[in-house]
Amino acid sequence: MASEAVRDQNNRNEGENGDRGFCGKLMNKVVEFPRKLKKLGQDDPRRIVHSLKVGLAVLLVSLLYYFQPLYDELGATAMWAVLTVVVVFEFSVGATLGRGLNRILATFLAGALGFGVHHLANLSGQTAHPILIGVFVFLLAASVTFLRFFPRLKARYDYGLLIFILTFCMISVSGYRDEEILEMAHKRVSTILIGAFTAVFVCVFICPVWAGDDLHNSVANNIEKLGSFLEGFGDEYFKVAGNTESNKALLQGYSSVLNSKQSEESQANFARWEPRHGKFRYRHPWKHYLKIGTITRQCAYRIDTLNGYLNSEIQTPLNIQSNKVQELCMKMSSESGKALKELAWALKTMTKPCSAASCHITKSRAAANNLKSLLKTSAALLGSEGIHLLDIVPAVTVASLLSDVVSYAEQIEKSIQELSSFSHVQFKSAEPKKALQPCNSSASSTNDNVPHHVITIHKLPSQKEIGSKQGAAN
């Protein structure tokens, strides 16, 4: 009996503790929710503005219900205007224009085709009417659904194809029971047009968010993040004195570049719908940004591997990290980082890359070539110094990865040069002081290991001087 009483008391205590734990977790979530909302708005204040714009657009189309003359004209189909605003209004102008134009064109085409099918079915007689409509619904739905699998159509017109199927089926099928199909199609198309134009008007003319600007800044910021990592990598890897925690925090900024492919592709797709705005003309080469982004991600993959060596348990012996190898690796890393930052600044400000970026890349390439030559000449001396071949694998791998990073920096520079050379792209010329910056140290870095000999050439004596000397001697 005593044991049962103790067991019951323990069960009650566990139940009370469980209730307290659940209530505590619930209260914590309730308290954290406002903080998360505040952080969400602080991260990007445009989200708050976008929410207010959607509310305004829905309020405007809701007036079709509140004003009696408009409601008498449109009736219950006015709800399609509200539905159109909700599904069409997106965060950026390009996304809203794309969905709006897709919905308008698909509604027009499907409405016209549905009315034609209904008229053709009426001519076939009462018996063949439902059969003919069913055949057309099956064929159109199956064929348009198959077209959605094409990558190019899916990227730009997937929403329009979906609305085409929906509108065609609603008009053609509902027309079998409703004789006033033309009036129904007219009201539905009118309300969809009102909703789409309202959404586009509010999105474009009230604090617009351009997908092209976001793509442009995103690609430039990704290049800058890689440059920040490379500038601090050498100090961190070789444990140079003066390295702080803030530098270590900067080394993790590159990680967002690794997963940027999907967002860049969607932004490029939305940007193609946008009209001319700001510094971007019509038919701006948005696809070229995807090329730059691809090269940047490939460089980020190498940098991600380099980051693994910072916290690796396998360390290179100190006698292998000679002053010359350390100097060349740090030069490759720092100069590549400076070059990427120069290129990011040039892209962000739409300025043609100046000679400073080329100068930094030249220095990093020269350091890479010198390191390659040094490793080749030093390979034969490893055995005599008692160093095992496996001990130098981390050092050689880091040097190889840094050499790949230099190559990708060169490709990024070339891609930005190509972007600035397009005729319909407005890239400014570099500032004179920055464009004419000398690159004196590049030549010295390539000749650090080359012995120098001074040769003095004296002026040869003339024939008159030779004759006078011979006469004096006689």
Coordinates of all heavy atoms in Angstrom, one line a residue, residues 372-409:
K372 N 54.6 27.8 -56.9 CA 54.6 26.6 -57.7 C 56.1 26.2 -58.0 O 56.5 25.0 -57.8 CB 53.8 26.7 -59.0 CG 53.7 25.5 -59.8 CD 52.9 25.7 -61.1 CE 52.8 24.4 -61.9 NZ 52.0 24.7 -63.1
S373 N 56.9 27.1 -58.4 CA 58.3 26.9 -58.7 C 59.0 26.5 -57.4 O 59.8 25.6 -57.4 CB 58.9 28.1 -59.3 OG 58.3 28.4 -60.5
L374 N 58.7 27.1 -56.3 CA 59.3 26.8 -55.0 C 59.0 25.4 -54.5 O 59.9 24.7 -54.0 CB 58.9 27.9 -54.0 CG 59.5 27.7 -52.6 CD1 61.0 27.9 -52.6 CD2 58.9 28.7 -51.6
L375 N 57.8 25.0 -54.7 CA 57.4 23.7 -54.3 C 58.1 22.6 -55.1 O 58.4 21.5 -54.6 CB 55.9 23.5 -54.3 CG 55.1 24.3 -53.3 CD1 53.6 24.1 -53.5 CD2 55.5 23.9 -51.9
K376 N 58.2 22.9 -56.4 CA 58.9 21.9 -57.3 C 60.4 21.8 -56.9 O 60.9 20.6 -56.9 CB 58.8 22.4 -58.8 CG 57.4 22.2 -59.4 CD 57.4 22.6 -60.8 CE 56.0 22.3 -61.5 NZ 56.0 22.7 -62.9
T377 N 61.0 22.9 -56.7 CA 62.5 22.8 -56.3 C 62.7 22.2 -54.9 O 63.8 21.7 -54.7 CB 63.1 24.2 -56.5 OG1 62.4 25.1 -55.6 CG2 63.0 24.7 -57.9
S378 N 61.7 22.4 -54.1 CA 61.9 22.0 -52.7 C 61.5 20.5 -52.5 O 61.7 19.9 -51.4 CB 61.1 22.8 -51.7 OG 61.5 24.2 -51.8
A379 N 60.8 19.9 -53.5 CA 60.3 18.5 -53.3 C 61.5 17.6 -53.1 O 61.4 16.6 -52.4 CB 59.5 18.1 -54.5
A380 N 62.6 17.8 -53.8 CA 63.7 16.9 -53.7 C 64.5 17.0 -52.4 O 65.2 16.1 -52.0 CB 64.7 17.2 -54.9
L381 N 64.3 18.1 -51.6 CA 65.0 18.3 -50.4 C 64.2 17.8 -49.2 O 64.7 17.8 -48.1 CB 65.3 19.8 -50.2 CG 66.1 20.5 -51.3 CD1 66.2 22.0 -51.0 CD2 67.4 19.8 -51.4
L382 N 63.0 17.3 -49.4 CA 62.1 16.9 -48.3 C 62.7 15.6 -47.6 O 62.7 15.5 -46.4 CB 60.7 16.6 -48.7 CG 59.9 17.8 -49.2 CD1 58.6 17.4 -49.7 CD2 59.8 18.8 -48.1
G383 N 63.2 14.7 -48.5 CA 63.7 13.4 -47.9 C 65.0 13.6 -47.1 O 65.2 13.0 -46.0
S384 N 65.8 14.6 -47.5 CA 67.0 14.8 -46.7 C 66.8 15.5 -45.4 O 67.6 15.4 -44.5 CB 68.0 15.7 -47.6 OG 67.4 16.9 -47.9
E385 N 65.6 16.2 -45.3 CA 65.3 16.9 -44.1 C 64.5 16.0 -43.1 O 64.0 16.4 -42.1 CB 64.5 18.2 -44.3 CG 65.4 19.2 -45.1 CD 64.6 20.5 -45.4 OE1 63.4 20.5 -45.0 OE2 65.1 21.4 -46.0
G386 N 64.2 14.7 -43.5 CA 63.4 13.8 -42.7 C 61.9 14.1 -42.6 O 61.3 13.8 -41.6
I387 N 61.4 14.7 -43.6 CA 59.9 15.1 -43.7 C 59.2 14.1 -44.5 O 59.6 13.8 -45.7 CB 59.7 16.5 -44.2 CG1 60.4 17.5 -43.3 CG2 58.3 16.8 -44.3 CD1 60.4 18.9 -43.8
H388 N 58.1 13.5 -44.0 CA 57.4 12.5 -44.7 C 56.5 13.2 -45.7 O 56.0 14.3 -45.5 CB 56.5 11.7 -43.8 CG 56.0 10.4 -44.4 ND1 54.8 10.3 -45.1 CD2 56.6 9.2 -44.5 CE1 54.6 9.1 -45.5 NE2 55.7 8.4 -45.2
L389 N 56.2 12.5 -46.8 CA 55.4 13.1 -47.9 C 54.0 13.5 -47.5 O 53.4 14.5 -47.9 CB 55.3 12.2 -49.1 CG 54.6 12.7 -50.4 CD1 55.3 13.9 -50.9 CD2 54.5 11.6 -51.4
L390 N 53.4 12.7 -46.6 CA 52.0 13.0 -46.1 C 52.0 14.2 -45.3 O 50.9 14.8 -45.1 CB 51.5 11.8 -45.3 CG 51.3 10.5 -46.1 CD1 50.8 9.3 -45.2 CD2 50.3 10.7 -47.3
D391 N 53.1 14.6 -44.7 CA 53.1 15.8 -43.8 C 52.9 17.1 -44.6 O 52.4 18.1 -44.0 CB 54.4 15.9 -43.0 CG 54.5 14.7 -42.0 OD1 53.5 14.2 -41.6 OD2 55.7 14.4 -41.6
I392 N 53.2 17.1 -45.8 CA 53.1 18.3 -46.6 C 51.8 18.4 -47.4 O 51.6 19.4 -48.1 CB 54.3 18.5 -47.6 CG1 54.2 17.4 -48.7 CG2 55.6 18.4 -46.8 CD1 55.1 17.7 -49.8
V393 N 50.9 17.3 -47.3 CA 49.7 17.3 -48.1 C 48.8 18.5 -47.7 O 48.3 19.2 -48.6 CB 48.9 16.0 -47.9 CG1 47.5 16.1 -48.5 CG2 49.7 14.9 -48.5
P394 N 48.6 18.9 -46.5 CA 47.8 20.1 -46.2 C 48.3 21.4 -46.8 O 47.6 22.2 -47.3 CB 47.7 20.1 -44.6 CG 48.0 18.7 -44.2 CD 49.0 18.2 -45.2
A395 N 49.6 21.6 -46.7 CA 50.2 22.8 -47.2 C 50.1 22.9 -48.7 O 49.8 23.9 -49.2 CB 51.7 22.9 -46.8
V396 N 50.3 21.7 -49.4 CA 50.2 21.7 -50.8 C 48.8 21.9 -51.2 O 48.5 22.6 -52.2 CB 50.8 20.4 -51.4 CG1 50.6 20.3 -52.9 CG2 52.3 20.3 -51.1
T397 N 47.8 21.3 -50.5 CA 46.4 21.5 -50.8 C 46.0 22.9 -50.7 O 45.2 23.5 -51.5 CB 45.6 20.6 -49.9 OG1 46.0 19.2 -50.0 CG2 44.1 20.6 -50.3
V398 N 46.4 23.6 -49.6 CA 46.0 25.0 -49.4 C 46.6 25.8 -50.6 O 45.9 26.7 -51.1 CB 46.5 25.5 -48.0 CG1 46.4 27.0 -47.9 CG2 45.8 24.8 -46.9
A399 N 47.9 25.6 -50.9 CA 48.5 26.3 -52.0 C 47.7 26.1 -53.3 O 47.5 27.0 -54.1 CB 49.9 25.9 -52.2
S400 N 47.3 24.8 -53.6 CA 46.5 24.5 -54.8 C 45.2 25.2 -54.8 O 44.7 25.8 -55.8 CB 46.4 23.0 -54.9 OG 45.6 22.7 -56.0
L401 N 44.5 25.2 -53.7 CA 43.2 25.9 -53.6 C 43.3 27.4 -53.8 O 42.5 28.0 -54.4 CB 42.5 25.6 -52.2 CG 42.1 24.1 -52.0 CD1 41.6 23.9 -50.6 CD2 40.9 23.8 -52.9
L402 N 44.4 28.0 -53.2 CA 44.6 29.4 -53.4 C 44.9 29.7 -54.9 O 44.5 30.8 -55.4 CB 45.7 29.9 -52.5 CG 45.4 30.0 -51.0 CD1 46.7 30.4 -50.2 CD2 44.3 31.0 -50.8
S403 N 45.6 28.8 -55.5 CA 45.8 29.0 -57.0 C 44.5 28.9 -57.8 O 44.3 29.7 -58.7 CB 46.8 27.9 -57.5 OG 47.1 28.1 -58.8
D404 N 43.6 28.0 -57.4 CA 42.3 28.0 -58.0 C 41.5 29.3 -57.8 O 40.8 29.8 -58.7 CB 41.5 26.8 -57.5 CG 42.1 25.5 -58.0 OD1 42.9 25.5 -59.0 OD2 41.8 24.4 -57.4
V405 N 41.6 29.8 -56.6 CA 40.9 31.0 -56.3 C 41.4 32.2 -57.1 O 40.6 33.0 -57.6 CB 41.1 31.3 -54.8 CG1 40.6 32.8 -54.5 CG2 40.3 30.4 -53.9
V406 N 42.7 32.2 -57.4 CA 43.3 33.2 -58.2 C 42.7 33.1 -59.6 O 42.3 34.1 -60.3 CB 44.8 33.1 -58.3 CG1 45.4 34.1 -59.3 CG2 45.4 33.5 -56.9
S407 N 42.6 31.9 -60.1 CA 42.0 31.7 -61.5 C 40.6 32.1 -61.5 O 40.1 32.8 -62.5 CB 42.1 30.2 -61.8 OG 43.4 29.7 -61.8
Y408 N 39.8 31.8 -60.5 CA 38.4 32.3 -60.5 C 38.3 33.8 -60.4 O 37.4 34.4 -60.9 CB 37.6 31.6 -59.4 CG 37.3 30.2 -59.6 CD1 37.8 29.2 -58.9 CD2 36.5 29.8 -60.7 CE1 37.5 27.8 -59.1 CE2 36.2 28.5 -61.0 CZ 36.7 27.5 -60.2 OH 36.4 26.2 -60.5
A409 N 39.2 34.4 -59.7 CA 39.2 35.9 -59.6 C 39.5 36.5 -61.0 O 38.8 37.5 -61.4 CB 40.3 36.4 -58.6

